[in-house]
Amino acid sequence: MTRRDLGRMALGAWLNTGSPRRTASASMPGAAGVARWRADFPALEQTVNGEPLAYLDSAATTQRPASVLAALEHYYRHDNANPGQSLHALAQRAYERYEAARRTLAGFIRAPDPEEVVWVRGTTEGINLVAAAWARPRLRPGDEVLVTVAEHASNLLPWRLVVQQTGATVRYVDVDNDGRVRMDDLERQLSTRTRLFCFSHVSNVVGFVNPAAELCARARSAGARVLIDAAQSAPHVPLDVRTLGCDFLVFSSHKMLGPMGTGVLWARRERLEEMEPYQAGSNMAHHVDLGSQDFEHAARRFGAGTPNVSGAIALAAAVEYLSNQDRGSIERHETALAHYGLDQLSQVTGLRLLGPRSAAQRVPVFSFVLPGHSSAEILRHLDSRGIAIRAGDLAALPLLKRLGVSEAARASCYLYTETSEVDRLVSALHELTHIATPMEETR
């Protein structure tokens, strides 16, 4: 019996006892259940370099189910028009589907009001919108914005730019050796000068699920507003903005089965009403004359120009796809993948996993380094075997440096990932450890 067989036996026993992170009553879908999910994703049927595709780059972008592709095609075949509530039939249909998508997304994050849902191009634009329309007019010299060392570049650079423009300061909350936000350092840094605290719900490097509600509560008790980067949590973790207690929450469509170029900024209505437009044009204002205009209210004042109707409709289709699945079963499958991946990758000679070694409170994202092999070399070797991963600084160089490295390889899973694909990843890495490095070849 191989160590992999022992790992699978241990995984089965662990599944029978239930997940330490989740209490869903649904059973693990098993190979047949995952196969049914996989059948919904046409892109997974292809081969790469003569091998069946093992797509392990879902933290960068997920694949799309056929229902999302069909929603896009249906819109362009039947409803394609610039939306308008009181215009011709196609324009009315486009408007109705666009607004239905807004309601669907509000329900997805349990927002109390669809008028709090702002359509953006993705997480990056949503964060920049808050930086430009909320933070820039309010920050003054002496004010502070707190972010964590673990943030993606999209949740670092906008704040760095806005403090340069306002004379405020960015301060950084430390993480522990596994990449988890240090509560003691957050308490030390919070003060009456803290105007905004920004953090990622789930790390794109170590996959850890931060205790978002607790982080929000601590920041708000100090009088700060809070922004959550939910780009990595929206695909995996149920979101409820009312219980999280944040002021702003942003996420992207393409990381949760929807199309690229679409995303959501949610903000409390009182935050939206105190923000001035950061772009101007048609649709966000009415009765525009040479000397006057009437701006729209709440989320609608941030919708200048022709909207991405198809993107919103397809994102709503992605939400509907997820809602039609057994979410408890998906969560249990993903936790099992995290457990299995951690166990199997730890058996690769010399491989160092970044982040917590426990499957509890994490999603199946595995960042690692392999001494003697650059992340680019690892990526090329795996790609030659039909295995897609991500490599480099992962747009989170400060966190990598905090963990003692400057680059890493990352394999990330989703509901359609099979344990056999993790096996292929591990086998290819075992193979790589037996390939001499250029330095060794010259000895």
Side-chain angles (χ1 to χ4, degrees):
M1 181 176 291
T2 66
R3 293 187 69 181
R4 182 170 295 159
D5 293 332
L6 289 171
R8 283 176 168 164
M9 289 177 62
L11 176 61
W14 177 81
L15 286 169
N16 289 333
T17 60
S19 163
R21 170 184 165 200
R22 296 181 173 130
T23 59
S25 60
S27 61
M28 173 67 183
V34 179
R36 285 194 295 273
W37 285 329
R38 288 178 65 84
D40 293 334
F41 294 84
L44 299 179
E45 299 173 2
Q46 65 185 290
T47 59
V48 173
N49 292 319
E51 300 284 349
L53 171 64
Y55 187 77
L56 300 177
D57 195 23
S58 291
T61 192
T62 59
Q63 295 301 328
R64 281 77 180 166
S67 59
V68 170
L69 303 178
L72 280 169
E73 183 178 12
H74 185 277
Y75 170 75
Y76 282 118
R77 280 184 177 273
H78 301 285
D79 303 326
N80 181 38
N82 210 317
Q85 190 174 16
S86 59
L87 299 175
H88 58 80
L90 268 65
Q92 290 180 36
R93 292 207 302 264
Y95 176 85
E96 289 164 2
R97 295 192 66 190
Y98 187 58
E99 292 308 315
R102 193 191 303 270
R103 294 191 295 272
T104 296
L105 268 295
F108 178 68
I109 58 175
R110 297 186 64 79
D113 184 356
E115 297 294 309
E116 296 173 332
V117 172
V118 182
W119 297 113
V120 290
R121 289 180 297 166
T123 302
T124 301
E125 185 178 50
I127 293 171
N128 276 276
L129 194 161
V130 176
W134 186 86
R136 186 185 297 154
R138 286 166 179 75
L139 294 180
R140 300 289 183 270
D143 289 341
E144 295 177 352
V145 175
L146 286 187
V147 298
T148 83
V149 173
E151 298 313 304
H152 188 281
S154 292
N155 202 22
L156 285 178
L157 291 177
W159 310 117
R160 193 171 299 164
L161 291 178
V162 82
V163 299
Q164 290 174 359
Q165 296 160 352
T166 61
T169 303
V170 175
R171 294 177 64 88
Y172 300 97
V173 179
D174 197 13
V175 296
D176 66 17
N177 293 335
D178 285 329
R180 294 173 290 213
V181 177
R182 285 181 47 189
M183 292 294 186
D184 61 334
D185 196 52
L186 174 61
E187 290 291 344
R188 184 178 65 82
Q189 304 247 29
L190 284 169
S191 73
T192 55
R193 296 186 299 275
T194 307
R195 300 297 303 277
L196 183 68
F197 174 43
C198 309
F199 68 91
S200 53
H201 194 178
V202 172
S203 167
N204 74 307
V205 175
V206 301
F208 183 71
V209 183
N210 281 308
E214 181 180 357
L215 290 168
C216 289
R218 294 194 183 202
R220 289 178 66 83
S221 68
R225 305 303 184 195
V226 185
L227 179 144
I228 297 179
D229 174 354
Q232 296 295 334
S233 60
H236 303 282
V237 180
L239 297 175
D240 185 335
V241 293
R242 294 174 296 183
T243 59
L244 286 172
C246 55
D247 294 275
F248 309 97
L249 182 138
V250 288
F251 58 95
S252 298
S253 165
H254 71 99
K255 295 183 186 293
M256 50 172 290
L257 309 180
M260 292 185 178
T262 302
V264 164
L265 161 66
W266 171 84
R268 294 175 184 267
R269 182 149 187 154
E270 56 266 35
R271 299 287 85 77
L272 290 170
E273 296 293 0
E274 66 190 19
M275 294 160 61
E276 293 299 323
Y278 88 125
Q279 291 182 337
S282 63
N283 292 324
M284 51 75 69
H286 300 288
H287 307 295
V288 180
D289 205 343
L290 293 180
S292 64
Q293 70 283 320
D294 294 333
F295 286 128
E296 275 281 16
H297 61 282
R300 298 178 187 276
R301 72 171 60 187
F302 301 102
T306 298
N308 182 2
V309 180
S310 62
I313 289 170
L315 174 53
V319 168
E320 289 165 359
Y321 176 87
L322 288 172
S323 299
N324 288 334
Q325 312 306 313
D326 184 333
R327 292 300 297 272
S329 186
I330 293 174
E331 291 171 0
R332 191 172 177 84
H333 171 56
E334 291 186 352
T335 303
L337 284 170
H339 186 278
Y340 189 72
L342 290 168
D343 177 73
Q344 296 301 307
L345 285 166
S346 67
Q347 297 174 23
V348 178
T349 302
L351 184 144
R352 179 194 167 196
L353 276 162
L354 305 180
R357 296 300 183 91
S358 170
Q361 299 301 324
R362 67 170 296 158
V363 300
V365 170
F366 313 105
S367 295
F368 56 89
V369 293
L370 195 58
H373 302 278
S374 70
S375 62
E377 181 189 358
I378 295 170
L379 184 147
R380 288 193 300 270
H381 177 73
L382 294 176
D383 187 49
S384 72
R385 303 299 188 268
I387 303 168
I389 67 161
R390 184 91 0 189
D393 67 12
L394 306 179
L397 185 58
L399 175 57
L400 291 183
K401 287 184 174 180
R402 174 65 178 81
L403 300 177
V405 298
S406 60
E407 61 176 36
R410 184 186 70 195
S412 51
C413 309
Y414 202 26
L415 77 162
Y416 41 65
T417 306
E418 297 177 310
T419 55
S420 62
E421 294 175 302
V422 177
D423 292 341
R424 287 178 58 192
L425 168 69
V426 172
S427 293
L429 291 172
H430 277 303
E431 184 181 54
L432 188 59
T433 62
H434 292 91
I435 297 175
T437 64
M439 182 177 295
E440 291 173 334
E441 290 173 349
T442 61
R443 291 178 181 173

